Amino acid sequence: MTSVSVINLPSVVASVTAAFKDYERALVANELETLDAYFWESPYTVRFGVAENLYGSQAIADYRRVCQPVGPGRRLYNTVITTFGESCATVSTEFSDGVTLRVGRQMQTWMRLDGAWKVVAAHVSIDLGTLESRG
């Protein structure tokens, strides 16, 4: 077992990166079942959004079915993936939606649970004052 003090093992970074990229692909494609599967199925899962505070994976899944999906113009910037040992990671990124030119921020805590990477906590915010293009 790898100590938590081992930061950014290349194989762990690669597996988290693959999971995050597939999560993003599913987000843009609005693949609800795939998105649901990436969140830890637990009442302890938390997602704070731009205008919503969601407690529990069921609340997150329910929200996804009524919210406006992200568009195909979504672009990521300054993504930082940091892993701790072999089963914990954070993913932080900025994004733009390609329409409003506003910059958003997204942070996720990922845990490897039963051999699969799951989001256990997430936070999304929008910088309402930023109207510059990041393209």
Side-chain angles (χ1 to χ4, degrees):
M1 181 146 177
T2 303
S3 168
V4 171
S5 64
V6 178
I7 308 296
N8 287 346
L9 287 168
S11 63
V12 180
V13 172
S15 67
V16 173
T17 299
F20 176 69
K21 284 182 177 181
D22 190 55
Y23 171 90
E24 280 293 314
R25 180 202 57 74
L27 184 65
V28 171
N30 200 34
E31 292 178 6
L32 300 178
E33 292 77 20
T34 302
L35 293 170
D36 293 346
Y38 272 115
F39 279 86
W40 178 36
E41 189 175 334
S42 169
Y44 301 112
T45 304
V46 176
R47 181 186 177 278
F48 293 148
V50 175
E52 69 284 340
N53 297 327
L54 306 169
Y55 296 91
S57 54
Q58 187 60 56
I60 296 166
D62 292 347
Y63 171 75
R64 288 251 182 250
R65 280 144 181 85
V66 298
C67 73
Q68 176 71 34
V70 303
R74 178 177 165 97
R75 298 290 179 263
L76 302 184
Y77 307 92
N78 301 321
T79 301
V80 176
I81 296 176
T82 307
T83 66
F84 305 89
E86 295 181 327
S87 51
C88 181
T90 59
V91 179
S92 306
T93 194
E94 293 177 80
F95 63 87
S96 66
D97 64 12
V99 177
T100 66
L101 301 180
R102 290 183 178 146
V103 175
R105 295 166 297 274
Q106 174 179 308
M107 293 192 73
Q108 299 168 328
T109 302
W110 292 71
M111 294 293 299
R112 191 185 328 239
L113 301 167
D114 298 322
W117 286 104
K118 303 288 183 173
V119 176
V120 299
H123 192 142
V124 179
S125 61
I126 300 289
D127 183 352
L128 297 177
T130 303
L131 295 175
E132 63 188 65
S133 174
R134 296 280 177 135

